[in-house]
Amino acid sequence: MPTAPDLADRPPLRRRLVPVVALLLLAPWAAECSWGGFALDGFLPVVIFLGPMYGGAAILIRETARHLGAGWPTIVLLAAAFGVLQAGLVDQSLFNPGYLDDTQYADTRAAAEASLVPGLGFSLRQAFDYVGNHILLTICAPIVFVESFLGAKRRLRPWLGRQGLAVVAVLYLLGSLLIFTTPEGRKNFLASPLQLAFATAVVLTLVAAALLPRWRRTHPRRVRRVPHPIWVGLLVVLARLFTDPTPGWPGVAVALALAATVGAVLAYLSGGARWGQRHVLAAGSASVVSAAAFAYLVPPYSPASPAAALAGDVAVTVITVALVVGAWWRLRRASPAVHVAAS
């Protein structure tokens, strides 16, 4: 079993804090702004207000995996646990049928109720969307972007020691408590004991699965054909495009089947000897790219003037292009073939 990377030769604290701060800021932006949820003047308040919770969670998840010497299976499972924790226990949007009633998405309530889980009172389609977006946008994409800008030696190393992790954990707890206690966060709704117990059980199960020793084992890479990174990103984009059209339970079945298929394909391809960080970047950034493309077609949560909404969408495009092109350029400049250990 591989051990966690040696921390004795870590870079100075200032250099290690740069990616930490970047992830702290990028996670809330990707989660709430990258798909058009806010006009341009809402970007900064979102980053400040939600950064401790979203950014703190992304840092803790990334650092947990890297300290354990684990890879993306652990990150994805912990991201799913965070998604359930956030939507089920913190803001409780998963169980609150009127959570979006005061937004421009109030008309989605009827579609959500078409896939209610009997006895638990939540929409499985909404659960898929909420948790899936937290996995892809809040956690995985920001981690992929920040790690792609780092050199190969720093990419899989932890950035923080115990004291730093403790500070981030406190920051995350305070941010979550702020959302739980404010009307804008939980909206004065409280889920039933059964719903809270169910969400807690799912979170604990996902965390236990994420910490399994098997994710820390080094598996030999096989000599197999690996497509160009562009095709990997296109696969994820197409899967997201075909996830939305079908309503009700058939739509849930299609969404789950597509997610499972794409996950299996990526797991298979990542075992190839020529799978590298550019493939990881393509897969991880595809969700943000597709979200940014559709930002022009969806309204922000709160009404905004056409000019403000358009300015926000254009800013999303500019930021997304800068992130993707910058990370791609950084990887090509560093090495023509940068591979990912423990992926």
Side-chain angles (χ1 to χ4, degrees):
M1 179 185 301
T3 59
D6 183 17
L7 302 181
D9 56 347
R10 291 182 300 178
L13 178 62
R14 184 171 58 183
R15 288 188 64 196
R16 286 185 283 120
L17 286 181
V18 170
V20 172
V21 174
L23 190 52
L24 187 70
L25 301 177
L26 186 57
W29 178 86
E32 299 291 351
C33 301
S34 67
W35 54 272
F38 289 87
L40 182 58
D41 59 356
F43 285 14
L44 184 59
V46 164
V47 170
I48 294 174
F49 189 67
L50 298 179
M53 181 177 61
Y54 285 161
I59 294 168
L60 291 173
I61 288 171
R62 190 265 175 196
E63 289 297 284
T64 297
R66 298 318 184 199
H67 274 280
L68 292 174
W72 283 102
T74 293
I75 292 175
V76 171
L77 287 169
L78 289 177
F82 164 73
V84 177
L85 176 66
Q86 171 63 29
L89 300 176
V90 180
D91 65 34
Q92 301 188 14
S93 56
L94 181 62
F95 301 117
N96 184 357
Y99 190 80
L100 297 176
D101 284 356
D102 59 348
T103 73
Q104 295 199 92
Y105 291 89
D107 58 351
T108 63
R109 182 170 180 172
E113 291 176 347
S115 58
L116 284 179
V117 177
L120 289 171
F122 73 90
S123 166
L124 189 57
R125 181 49 192 257
Q126 267 190 342
F128 177 86
D129 291 339
Y130 289 168
V131 177
N133 283 334
H134 278 310
I135 294 173
L136 296 175
L137 295 179
T138 309
I139 306 299
C140 291
I143 292 175
V144 166
F145 278 128
V146 175
E147 288 191 342
S148 295
F149 275 96
L150 298 177
K153 292 183 178 181
R154 297 178 60 199
R155 187 169 299 132
L156 302 183
R157 289 178 176 269
W159 300 329
L160 299 173
R162 292 181 180 178
Q163 292 181 343
L165 288 175
V167 171
V168 175
V170 171
L171 193 65
Y172 166 71
L173 291 175
L174 291 176
S176 299
L177 183 62
L178 179 65
I179 297 299
F180 182 81
T181 55
T182 57
E184 296 81 5
R186 188 165 49 88
K187 301 188 177 180
N188 298 316
F189 173 86
L190 187 62
S192 70
L194 177 61
Q195 290 172 328
L196 296 175
F198 171 77
T200 301
V202 173
V203 170
L204 294 177
T205 300
L206 289 169
V207 171
L211 299 181
L212 289 175
R214 64 171 300 175
W215 307 127
R216 301 193 289 274
R217 296 172 187 158
T218 301
H219 300 282
R221 291 182 174 274
R222 300 181 181 277
V223 179
R224 61 169 63 118
R225 184 180 178 85
V226 176
H228 191 277
I230 294 297
W231 295 110
V232 174
L234 185 61
L235 172 67
V236 178
V237 170
L238 290 176
R240 286 183 64 83
L241 288 179
F242 285 102
T243 294
D244 293 334
T246 309
W249 287 104
V252 173
V254 170
L256 291 173
L258 281 173
T261 301
V262 172
V265 170
L266 293 179
Y268 172 80
L269 293 176
S270 66
R274 296 186 63 82
W275 179 271
Q277 183 65 20
R278 282 182 286 180
H279 295 88
V280 177
L281 174 62
S285 64
S287 57
V288 177
V289 171
S290 57
F294 280 94
Y296 293 90
L297 304 179
V298 300
Y301 283 119
S302 300
S305 68
L310 180 60
D313 296 338
V314 171
V316 164
T317 300
V318 171
I319 294 172
T320 301
V321 170
L323 287 170
V324 174
V325 173
W328 189 270
W329 174 83
R330 178 69 179 85
L331 290 175
R332 287 187 63 87
R333 184 169 176 268
S335 171
V338 182
H339 297 298
V340 180
S343 63

